[in-house]
Amino acid sequence: MKCTCYKFVGLSYTCVTFVGITGCGTMGRAAFVLGVVVLMRFSAEALDNGLALTPTMGWLHWERFMCNTDCDADPDNCISERLFMQMADVMVKEGWKEAGYEYVCIDDCWPSKQRDAQGRLQADPKRFPSGIKKLADYVHSKGLKLGIYADLGYQTCGGYPGSLGYHEIDAQTFADWDVDLLKYDGCYLDWTLVGEGYKNMSKALNKTGKSILYSCEWPLYVWPYAKPDYAAIRETCNHWRNYDDVYDSWSSIKSILDWSANHQDDIVPSAGPGGWNDPDMLVIGNFGLSHAQQESQMALWAIMAAPLIMSNDLRDICPRSKALLQNKHIIAISQDPLGKQGYQTFKKNDFAVWERSLSGDRHAIAVMNTQEIGGPRKFLLGVAPGWKLCNPKCNVTLILPKYQELGVVPVQTDLMLPVNPSGTTLLTFTSLNSLNDKRRWRVTL
Ligand code: GLA
């Protein structure tokens, strides 16, 4: 038995243990077996605008700054051009752009309450005195892209002018301003009209001739009444919110993960290059999550091929959260060119396992300890002889909670993984058997 010991930050020494197939019979086994799976196919084409070939990465103001419009009382945190310019500055200076975060996005509460004489949206003149075009120029000068927000109903969720009856004018206005992404919300319209509203804006954006990444919330507004048409959604949008707004709390992250797992057969097949399920913003670096929980959000958002759109204050973020958000190994999983969203494949004994197939005969596995009491618990990743990826062997890399190359593991090996409470241990497996390109995965309980 080979035992590799290392220290988790802030925890006592612990071990990743390689256990021979006969060596571990007495452990509290939470083992699972990997076999052969038939993956579902999805025939719908993605929105053909050449964008979001991998999940979008960027920053969006909503979760952290919400609808704070009081620039007199709170000039540093109100929704103003200054906030977005500062975020763009930090994104370049502090390695965010280099890590892949590209879009600086405005959410609700940016416009004036009145359209102009030509019926166009206009930015609030006090908070955006230079206007959105100038802000886009500034963001572009930093090598970044600008996102903006609108709503297909008669007003936005925050009570600002909606695009109902104006979607063509609004699409053209955003194109004239050189905006690169539109988050299009679905408040204040009957749900039966939401699909048409999303399609109309998609066509209007296309008609401008400018490539504008299109972020939708279409299924979120349909699910309470009917099963959304994911083929149509994928043809219309570059990503789509399915479920409730994220909050800065572990209960919010858990509810999003539970929803995603419970609906994975509906949503996973629709994801792929050009179109992604969007479980909402990363709230890492804020107030509500422990570090282990932040690791869980980052790992699972990567496994789910989710857009990595942070909502936090990049001007003031703790180094550990920053390192996690910029972790190149996790970002590589998120941005894997194969573009296959992962699944939850096991849930038992207060553990949940998620898996994602990656390019180059690689596979990512995330093991979450859902028990919120006690210390790290051991999970035995059982590797069955039928587990072809590791047949005859594979190379294993631990990514969370700490990077470590575990080396070559032959097929009849179990991995003993310590997992922190509400944390996630994340690994990648690279097959050393290049002939097995037809193999599929499944967990057999
Ligand atoms: C909705 C969206 C959020 C945010 C707010 C803004 O709730 O789901 O992401 O855009 O509106 O009002």
Side-chain angles (χ1 to χ4, degrees):
M1 192 193 296
K2 186 176 143 209
C3 178
T4 316
C5 295
Y6 58 89
K7 196 172 192 283
F8 291 129
V9 185
L11 292 172
S12 54
Y13 275 94
T14 185
C15 306
V16 168
T17 315
F18 293 73
V19 184
I21 204 88
T22 52
C24 201
T26 56
M27 295 302 303
R29 273 180 85 107
F32 72 102
V33 172
L34 300 161
V36 178
V37 79
V38 180
L39 286 186
M40 286 171 276
R41 291 245 161 251
F42 197 76
S43 51
E45 297 294 324
L47 171 60
D48 185 19
N49 60 3
L51 299 171
L53 297 181
T54 61
T56 306
M57 292 178 67
W59 181 92
L60 175 66
H61 92 243
W62 184 253
E63 192 287 322
R64 178 62 187 256
F65 296 95
M66 300 186 73
C67 197
N68 179 353
T69 53
D70 192 348
C71 291
D72 295 329
D74 197 4
D76 290 337
N77 300 302
C78 66
I79 307 314
S80 68
E81 62 186 32
R82 199 166 149 245
L83 182 71
F84 298 97
M85 289 164 81
Q86 288 181 349
M87 287 308 156
D89 292 345
V90 179
M91 279 173 77
V92 175
K93 275 200 208 114
E94 301 285 330
W96 299 99
K97 180 185 160 196
E98 212 185 322
Y101 295 94
E102 190 181 12
Y103 289 84
V104 183
C105 302
I106 307 170
D107 206 287
D108 204 349
C109 308
W110 64 269
S112 165
K113 291 269 175 152
Q114 260 77 48
R115 289 176 176 268
D116 73 8
Q118 281 77 45
R120 288 175 305 203
L121 288 170
Q122 48 190 347
D124 180 279
K126 189 166 174 212
R127 294 180 286 119
F128 293 84
S130 317
I132 303 293
K133 172 74 175 86
K134 283 271 160 48
L135 180 57
D137 291 346
Y138 184 81
V139 168
H140 293 153
S141 77
K142 302 271 162 188
L144 297 168
K145 295 185 165 153
L146 184 72
I148 206 160
Y149 168 100
D151 186 291
L152 49 67
Y154 58 87
Q155 59 180 30
T156 71
C157 302
Y160 289 79
S163 298
L164 190 62
Y166 292 91
H167 65 274
E168 291 207 333
I169 300 179
D170 291 351
Q172 193 54 53
T173 304
F174 300 144
D176 293 343
W177 287 344
D178 231 353
V179 162
D180 306 286
L181 177 152
L182 173 64
K183 171 174 172 177
Y184 204 42
D185 212 336
C187 269
Y188 295 108
L189 193 65
D190 188 87
W191 76 274
T192 55
L193 303 172
V194 159
E196 197 189 326
Y198 276 105
K199 286 184 196 164
N200 286 341
M201 180 52 98
S202 193
K203 283 184 209 140
L205 291 173
N206 187 44
K207 214 169 114 193
T208 68
K210 182 176 159 57
S211 293
I212 299 179
L213 200 152
Y214 188 33
S215 166
C216 302
E217 302 201 21
W218 177 353
L220 162 62
Y221 288 95
V222 171
W223 267 115
Y225 311 99
K227 206 174 226 193
D229 177 355
Y230 278 99
I233 291 166
R234 180 165 170 77
E235 281 163 12
T236 306
C237 307
N238 291 118
H239 31 88
W240 46 88
R241 285 270 309 283
N242 290 303
Y243 183 64
D244 291 352
D245 291 2
V246 71
Y247 277 58
D248 187 13
S249 73
W250 182 232
S251 62
S252 168
I253 302 301
K254 276 191 298 188
S255 74
I256 293 171
L257 289 173
D258 285 346
W259 190 93
S260 302
N262 292 337
H263 295 81
Q264 59 188 0
D265 290 346
D266 293 316
I267 66 170
V268 171
S270 64
W276 310 99
N277 290 293
D278 178 6
D280 212 2
M281 295 157 269
L282 294 169
V283 293
I284 296 165
N286 291 319
F287 307 98
L289 303 185
S290 71
H291 193 73
Q293 292 161 355
Q294 294 179 47
E295 291 184 337
S296 289
Q297 193 188 23
M298 191 70 187
L300 271 304
W301 262 234
I303 292 279
M304 292 192 291
L308 298 183
I309 300 182
M310 308 175 283
S311 192
N312 47 18
D313 190 347
L314 297 175
R315 301 165 302 183
D316 178 19
I317 185 165
C318 93
R320 230 174 144 202
S321 299
K322 180 179 170 191
L324 175 63
L325 285 161
Q326 295 190 0
N327 184 312
K328 60 177 195 274
H329 306 290
I330 310 177
I331 291 174
I333 294 173
S334 151
Q335 301 292 300
D336 184 78
L338 193 58
K340 271 192 189 299
Q341 178 172 343
Y343 285 84
Q344 187 183 82
T345 51
F346 176 92
K347 196 166 195 254
K348 208 173 173 182
N349 299 341
D350 291 320
F351 284 108
V353 178
W354 295 67
E355 303 179 43
R356 178 174 173 186
S357 293
L358 304 172
S359 58
D361 263 348
R362 287 174 316 120
H363 207 81
I365 294 193
V367 182
M368 185 190 283
N369 173 3
T370 55
Q371 185 171 286
E372 295 171 28
I373 188 169
R377 290 166 63 229
K378 304 249 166 64
F379 184 82
L380 184 62
L381 196 62
V383 182
W387 187 43
K388 302 244 177 35
L389 193 74
C390 269
N391 193 3
K393 54 195 177 189
C394 56
N395 207 352
V396 183
T397 304
L398 182 68
I399 293 176
L400 284 176
K402 186 181 188 293
Y403 185 83
Q404 191 180 7
E405 286 171 16
L406 300 182
V408 173
V409 175
V411 65
Q412 290 192 333
T413 302
D414 287 350
L415 283 177
M416 185 79 73
L417 304 167
V419 194
N420 293 329
S422 60
T424 294
T425 293
L426 178 67
L427 309 104
T428 55
F429 294 76
T430 307
S431 174
L432 298 176
N433 175 15
S434 57
L435 299 175
N436 275 344
D437 54 352
K438 291 251 160 46
R439 115 215 100 241
R440 295 287 185 259
W441 291 63
R442 187 183 60 186
V443 167
T444 314
L445 302 183

